[in-house]
Amino acid sequence: MNPTPSSSNIVTIDTAALTYNYRIVSSSLPSGVELLAMVKGDGYGHGMVESARAFAKAGCHLFGVAEACEGVWLRQAGVEGEIFVMVGFQPDAVEYFFTSNLTPVVFSADAVELLSKTAVRLGREITLHLKIDTGMSRLGVMPGEVATFAELIENLPGIRLGGLLSHFPEADNVDSPNTINAFRVYSEACRSIETQFSGIRHIANSGAVLNFPETLCDMGRAGIALYGYSPSGQWQHGKVGDTYLKPAMSFTTRIAKVKEVATGVGISYGHSYVTTRPTRLAVLPVGYEDGYSRLLSNRGEILVHGKRVPILGRVCMNLCMVDITDIEGVQAGDEAVLLGEQGDEKITADDIAAWAETISYEVLCMLGNNNQRKFI
Ligand SMILES: *Cc1c(COP(=O)(O)O)cnc(C)c1O
């Protein structure tokens, strides 16, 4: 017997789908353009290490994480290749860039100077990439500061400028002129140091990789597309040429109880739903603590016996109720699918995102990072 029983709620990750998606996206790129796989957010909820391994199977040797600790975990798990740390680091974490061979993305003079000082002290060299703000108003130096930073980096020992990068705020929107405008700003900033710069340029996220290939430069940095979704929130857009990407995550549970209630009965906290007919309910052991948002109250749908059924009333911490009046023969212990396929029906992370007023990214992170995962 296992030392602990497994949860009724299981997130299943199809690692072959991850490998497939990386292969489809990377083989669509012009020759010479590399594809970095973003595995931050614990691989968008799919498991950082398992996702990195699945992408590596398709030839991926470039990975992106948010923090240095994630890069160290990847190394400890034996992941090879280049690992970019995207959101900076605290001064006390600087040595990990050397000991774990991580590539820092920098956007402050302090970080540049600390990396140089540490490189000298350790007798090492390190390649860093400079982030430019071309409209996210987030991390990144302003385009007018790029030349100054390039000079600072050139004049300090132990460090070298390996790349210039930026990030698009609206590449998921094919109709927005923002991406082309931001790319112009980025290109001009790169040009301002053209004579002394020999590194690579990269700006394209999934939206740009799928919709604006003219912005690919030397490397795409894809996240959501590799997990099988389009950043636009419409699964129909989640394709490369004519080939659809494959969502890799599904989320299932087992019905905890089936019960009948009469007309006019309130359901769950606040009685936000009152039955309008004699109603058969299935009670599911899934709630907001499992990443199934309370915003799905009276809005979400799940699959039982291959049919879509609606959530009735509020989603509780560990439970929610669905209407199975129209489905015969449902019993406690039957499988219910909250994300994924059952019979001919399918619920996508985009469906859940629309009901919960968010994006597939958040749905995948919330479900994947709050449940037991099974890798197949
Ligand atoms: C998350 C992230 C990406 C990937 O974005 P997707 O929309 O998931 O493709 C690319 N670059 C940076 C800097 C990021 O933080």
Side-chain angles (χ1 to χ4, degrees), residues 36-40 44 64-66 86-87 105 131 138-139 165-168 171-172 202-209 220-227 229-231 361:
L36 176 147
M38 291 299 318
V39 294
K40 67 191 178 194
Y44 291 45
V65 294
M86 295 289 172
V87 309
V105 169
K131 184 145 195 192
R138 210 167 66 171
L139 302 171
L165 68 147
S166 189
H167 191 53
F168 289 127
D172 53 316
H202 47 110
I203 185 169
N205 52 6
S206 293
V209 168
R221 299 190 311 262
I224 198 73
L226 301 181
Y227 301 97
Y229 284 92
S230 162
Y361 301 65

Side-chain angles (χ1 to χ4, degrees), residues 74-191:
L74 282 175
R75 289 295 186 225
Q76 286 170 348
V79 172
E80 294 175 1
E82 187 165 7
I83 299 174
F84 288 77
V85 175
M86 295 289 172
V87 309
F89 56 93
Q90 295 300 316
D92 62 3
V94 68
E95 281 199 21
Y96 289 101
F97 287 88
F98 297 87
T99 54
S100 290
N101 187 24
L102 309 175
T103 300
V105 169
V106 299
F107 37 81
S108 80
D110 285 350
V112 170
E113 283 158 9
L114 182 57
L115 284 163
S116 168
K117 230 184 275 168
T118 311
V120 170
R121 176 163 56 79
L122 299 176
R124 298 275 300 272
E125 296 233 324
I126 195 161
T127 297
L128 46 84
H129 288 229
L130 179 66
K131 184 145 195 192
I132 311 169
D133 180 356
T134 54
M136 272 298 281
S137 303
R138 210 167 66 171
L139 302 171
V141 305
M142 299 316 285
E145 299 177 291
V146 171
T148 313
F149 269 86
E151 204 178 307
L152 174 70
I153 294 165
E154 197 172 306
N155 290 332
L156 288 174
I159 56 174
R160 108 167 233 286
L161 183 57
L164 290 173
L165 68 147
S166 189
H167 191 53
F168 289 127
E170 272 188 71
D172 53 316
N173 182 354
V174 191
D175 301 320
S176 169
N178 176 279
T179 300
I180 291 308
N181 291 337
F183 187 61
R184 195 169 302 132
V185 172
Y186 172 69
S187 302
E188 272 162 33
C190 293
R191 223 170 288 132

